[in-house]
Amino acid sequence: MSALAVWLFVLLAIALVGAIALVVRAAWVLIRKLGALGTEMNALQDDLDETVGSRLK
């Protein structure tokens, strides 16, 4: 195998590892943000239930 082929293979491997790392990081951030969004949606639902409930009484 030529030296150029070896260097290209190494660069391809580094690019692949970097792409995998970016995908894992993006998934981690998405999961964190979805958790915060779920908490906020529950709080909004509680506020809505309280407001609608007080108008029905």
Side-chain angles (χ1 to χ4, degrees):
M1 207 192 266
S2 70
L4 178 60
V6 171
W7 279 110
L8 288 176
F9 184 75
V10 169
L11 289 175
L12 182 64
I14 291 171
L16 182 62
V17 169
I20 291 171
L22 286 176
V23 168
V24 168
R25 176 156 167 73
W28 182 255
V29 169
L30 179 65
I31 289 169
R32 281 188 17 226
K33 287 188 182 275
L34 286 177
L37 179 63
T39 302
E40 186 66 27
M41 292 298 288
N42 286 336
L44 288 172
Q45 183 67 43
D46 292 342
D47 290 344
L48 180 64
D49 290 342
E50 183 179 325
T51 301
V52 171
S54 64
R55 288 185 180 182
L56 293 176
K57 291 181 181 178

